[in-house]
């Protein structure tokens, strides 16, 4: 059954009250064994449904489980137990550059593509359904195929938090815990996240066929993505060049989003770059607390290659690797390079737009670039909290003589002079704006989140969940669904307590 022809069917209860899932199509299998292999998931022992996202479920027309019996049915189905959802699961093959080096063949080492569901809206696109942490595959290399509860909670919560922030991302439908022990730095337990995405294709999929010596298969990979996600490219004389142009634009927008919300991905290898410009593969990520441009939470990244401020340049590097992979399908190498070189101006424009909105300007005027930089420099010198500072800035009166609100001043205690100089300049700039203080504050609060998934918040939920109490995961999910509203519990919006250890996460989790 092709996805396009699959009529949406509401999930109805089966004879014993268990959910009957909408039928899954698996068109990726039609590309053949060079693209993916059939692999069955390894079922989780003692599966327990930790949490599910009502918003993600709605995308595919599901409602969350309504009672303990349905929760158990979800835990079994999304814990990889045999059933209609796992009947046609496949591991896809991709490659990638890791930390700047060619890593060769990688592939889904602990994830499986179950198939795809139609969007809940008639005429909407389809959603690929993927289990992550589903056990060994032929692409597991040295890995065990498992994902631990700790990192699965992080991925589950952050996927949904990013979506609520408006950042392009893969989604997380639900999270299942288990009793299976897994060895990492310590013994932990295995979990599975069910992810949804229009596509899980990465830059690395193209690199596999191009650098891996199977260039004759590259056109099929390109055609697959164009047909389903970027049909406008097919009309152009060089579809692969158009696909590259599209990926460059979407990646530029994505990175501007990341920088604006203070998100550090942590492992921007080309196998972790979505061709659709989505945030994918939440591993050693973090949101900035105190602003340090060269911060990375990834302890494996000793050189800071993937530090916060380097993300735009790394995205550009990764796009060059993608362009290189597509060269066999592009007439002139120079044209591919020209397209990649549009990344920087596109990113700068997108970022300036976002920064303008973050400080309450309606448009970007000449000279604003320096205004933005001066603020960022002062924030770095003061180690101001990224999220709080923009929220507090909304409370600053435009009147030149009005005193600084104390909560704002508190973010600039180390070097108040640099901030005072910036405030003068900012207030002069605000004279060109027509909005009142209240209107500006309202606009700023709509783009500057009050709550992001800070490391210490995730840690609190993880510690409780490791003790079998999932209530904090579920509570945080609810808070993160409305990141622009002041949270009910004020502590959710606060920087970490002084004694709270900073995020220090390794790649392997
Ligand atoms: P990552 O950088 O974590 O996204 O993973 C890079 C590659 O390693 C991908 O091919 C993953 O499927 C694979 N991988 C990561 N962790 C594991 C694991 N525990 N078992 C098997 N493969 C893994
Ligand atoms: Mg990955």
């Amino acid at each position: 059954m092709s996805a396009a022809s699959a009529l949406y069917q509401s999930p109805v209860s089966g004879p014993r009250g268990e959910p009957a899932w909408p039928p899954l199509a698996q068109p990726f299998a039609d590309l053949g064994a060079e693209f993916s292999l059939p692999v069955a998931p390894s079922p989780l022992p003692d599966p327990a449904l930790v949490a599910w996202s009502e918003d993600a479920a709605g995308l595919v027309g599901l409602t969350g489980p309504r009672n303990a019996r349905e929760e158990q049915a979800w835990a079994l189905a999304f814990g990889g137990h045999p059933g209609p959802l796992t009947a046609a699961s496949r591991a896809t093959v991709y490659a990638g550059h890791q930390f700047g080096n060619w890593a060769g063949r990688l592939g889904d080492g602990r994830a499986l593509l179950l198939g795809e569901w139609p969007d809940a809206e008639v005429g909407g696109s389809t959603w690929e359904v993927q289990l992550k942490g589903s056990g060994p595959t032929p692409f597991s290399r040295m890995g065990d195929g498992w994902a631990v509860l700790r990192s699965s909670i992080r991925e589950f919560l952050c996927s949904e938090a990013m979506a609520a922030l408006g950042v392009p991302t893969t989604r997380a439908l639900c999270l299942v815990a288990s009793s299976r022990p897994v060895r990492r730095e310590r013994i932990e337990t295995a979990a599975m996240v069910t992810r949804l995405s229009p596509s899980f294709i990465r830059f690395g999929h193209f690199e596999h066929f191009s650098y891996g010596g199977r260039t004759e298969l590259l056109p099929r990979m390109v055609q697959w993505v164009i047909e389903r996600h970027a049909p406008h490219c097919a009309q152009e004389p060089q579809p692969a060049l158009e696909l590259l142009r599209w990926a460059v634009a979407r990646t530029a927008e994505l990175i501007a989003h990341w920088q604006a919300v203070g998100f550090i991905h942590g492992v921007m290898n080309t196998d972790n770059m979505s061709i659709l410009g989505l945030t994918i593969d939440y591993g050693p990520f973090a949101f900035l607390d105190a602003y340090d441009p060269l911060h990375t939470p990834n302890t494996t990244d000793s050189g800071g290659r993937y530090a916060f401020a380097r993300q735009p340049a790394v995205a550009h590097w990764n796009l060059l690797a993608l362009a290189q992979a597509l060269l066999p399908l592009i007439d002139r190498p120079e044209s591919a390079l020209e397209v990649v070189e549009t990344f920087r101006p596109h990113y700068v424009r997108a970022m300036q737009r976002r920064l303008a909105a973050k400080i309450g300007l309606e448009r970007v005027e000449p000279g604003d670039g320096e205004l933005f930089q001066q603020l960022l420099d002062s924030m770095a010198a003061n180690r101001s909290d990224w999220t709080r500072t923009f929220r507090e800035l909304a409370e600053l009166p435009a009147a030149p003589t009005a005193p600084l609100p104390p909560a704002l001043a508190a973010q600039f205690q180390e070097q108040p002079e640099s901030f005072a100089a910036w405030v003068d300049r900012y207030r002069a700039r605000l004279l060109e704006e027509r909005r009142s203080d209240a209107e500006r504050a309202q606009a700023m609060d709509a783009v500057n989140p009050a709550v992001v998934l800070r490391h210490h918040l995730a840690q609190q939920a993880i510690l409780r969940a490791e003790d079998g109490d999932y209530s904090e995961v579920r509570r945080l999910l609810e808070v993160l669904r409305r990141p622009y509203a002041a949270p009910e519990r004020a502590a959710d919006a606060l920087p970490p307590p002084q004694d709270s250890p900073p995020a220090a996460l390794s790649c392997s989790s």
Side-chain angles (χ1 to χ4, degrees):
M1 177 182 56
S2 94
S5 67
L7 284 177
Y8 170 67
Q9 302 179 2
S10 337
V12 288
S13 290
R16 299 209 324 276
E18 73 275 21
W21 311 103
L24 276 167
Q26 185 57 294
F28 199 77
D30 300 341
L31 287 174
E34 293 94 347
F35 292 78
S36 66
L37 298 172
V39 181
S42 310
L44 288 179
D46 306 316
L49 188 66
V50 175
W52 66 92
S53 162
E54 208 62 64
D55 295 337
L59 298 172
V60 290
L62 290 173
T63 43
R66 286 157 297 186
N67 50 47
R69 186 198 186 97
E70 287 185 6
E71 281 196 29
Q72 190 52 24
W74 275 58
L76 286 168
F78 299 109
H81 287 253
L85 296 189
T86 52
S89 54
R90 302 183 76 87
T92 79
V93 57
Y94 55 84
H97 280 83
Q98 299 187 321
F99 294 92
N101 303 307
W102 174 237
R105 195 184 82 166
L106 302 167
D108 291 327
R110 54 166 166 174
L112 291 173
L113 181 63
L114 300 185
E116 54 183 46
W117 272 326
D119 191 273
E121 309 237 332
V122 176
S125 59
T126 55
W127 291 91
E128 290 187 351
V129 186
Q130 199 196 55
L131 288 186
K132 181 168 176 181
S134 45
T137 79
F139 309 116
S140 296
R141 299 174 298 144
M142 308 297 280
D144 54 14
W146 310 123
V148 297
L149 180 61
R150 170 176 52 94
S151 38
S152 303
I153 289 173
R154 289 166 49 82
E155 169 136 34
F156 173 79
L157 286 177
C158 201
S159 304
E160 294 308 286
M162 291 287 263
L165 286 166
V167 182
T169 180
T170 62
R171 301 296 299 263
L173 175 63
C174 64
L175 167 60
V176 177
S178 80
S179 59
R180 171 176 282 123
V182 176
R183 180 177 289 279
R184 292 294 181 262
E185 283 95 350
R186 58 187 167 97
I187 304 286
E188 305 186 43
T189 53
M192 281 188 210
V193 176
T194 300
R195 306 197 289 190
L196 302 176
S197 178
S199 172
F200 288 98
I201 301 295
R202 304 138 190 275
F203 290 10
H205 279 92
F206 301 91
E207 293 180 281
H208 169 72
F209 294 110
S210 192
Y211 308 154
R214 301 301 306 270
T215 39
E216 76 281 9
L217 297 172
L218 186 60
R220 284 164 71 188
M221 191 74 257
V222 169
Q223 197 189 354
W224 168 266
V225 173
I226 288 180
E227 268 177 10
R228 304 167 67 87
H229 306 288
H232 69 279
C233 300
Q235 271 84 61
E236 301 295 328
Q238 292 196 66
L241 186 65
E242 288 317 305
L243 179 66
L244 179 64
R245 196 187 309 281
W246 183 77
V248 167
R250 293 182 60 126
T251 305
E253 293 290 336
L254 173 72
I255 306 295
H257 264 289
W258 285 3
Q259 303 306 106
V261 297
F263 176 78
I264 312 160
H265 181 284
V267 213
M268 287 176 69
N269 293 330
T270 56
D271 52 297
N272 290 337
M273 296 289 291
S274 149
I275 191 69
L276 267 50
L278 309 173
T279 315
I280 191 171
D281 282 11
Y282 292 87
F285 70 84
F287 283 87
L288 287 169
D289 295 309
Y291 177 42
D292 168 5
L294 290 182
H295 179 63
T296 176
N298 185 351
T299 52
T300 323
D301 182 14
S302 51
R305 179 182 173 90
Y306 298 140
F308 178 70
R310 297 205 173 110
Q311 295 188 124
V314 167
H316 180 248
W317 193 99
N318 289 342
L319 285 162
L320 280 170
L322 175 66
Q324 173 94 21
L326 293 173
L327 278 187
L329 306 181
I330 293 173
D331 287 348
R332 294 168 43 247
E334 301 79 11
S335 57
L337 205 55
E338 283 160 20
V339 165
V340 175
E341 290 319 307
T342 62
F343 174 81
R344 191 183 151 83
H346 190 140
Y347 165 73
V348 169
R349 267 197 319 277
M351 190 60 200
Q352 290 202 336
R353 250 190 359 254
R354 292 199 175 277
L355 281 170
K358 283 180 84 67
I359 65 169
L361 304 179
E362 285 186 89
R363 63 191 68 78
V364 181
E365 299 288 354
D368 284 348
E370 281 167 46
L371 183 71
F372 303 144
Q373 195 54 52
Q374 206 180 327
L375 173 62
L376 296 184
D377 290 346
S378 180
M379 285 174 66
N382 283 282
R383 296 186 57 80
S384 316
D385 182 81
W386 182 269
T387 302
R388 285 299 336 141
T389 299
F390 289 104
R391 286 294 279 207
E392 301 301 350
L393 195 56
E395 307 298 319
L396 177 75
T401 50
L404 288 189
L408 178 61
Q411 295 295 338
F412 295 92
Q413 269 170 342
E414 285 175 42
Q415 280 190 27
E417 325 75 47
S418 67
F419 184 60
W422 182 81
V423 168
D424 289 344
R425 184 175 182 158
Y426 174 53
R427 282 174 160 163
R429 173 66 179 79
L430 286 179
L431 293 175
E432 297 165 37
E433 298 279 313
R434 294 159 308 174
R435 292 191 288 205
S436 69
D437 280 356
E439 288 165 338
R440 177 169 47 85
Q442 197 184 10
M444 288 170 73
D445 284 353
V447 295
N448 294 316
V451 191
V452 292
L453 182 59
R454 296 177 189 265
H455 178 68
H456 74 282
L457 293 179
Q459 276 308 106
Q460 289 164 7
I462 288 167
L463 288 178
R464 298 259 291 267
E466 286 179 340
D467 274 343
D469 171 4
Y470 306 139
S471 60
E472 183 62 8
V473 176
R474 296 179 181 192
R475 190 194 72 82
L476 257 188
L477 176 66
E478 279 307 305
V479 174
L480 293 165
R481 282 174 85 186
R482 283 173 290 276
Y484 296 103
E488 217 167 88
R489 210 184 79 171
D492 291 332
L494 294 180
Q498 291 282 322
D499 56 352
S500 152
L505 304 146
S506 74
C507 270
S508 67
S509 56

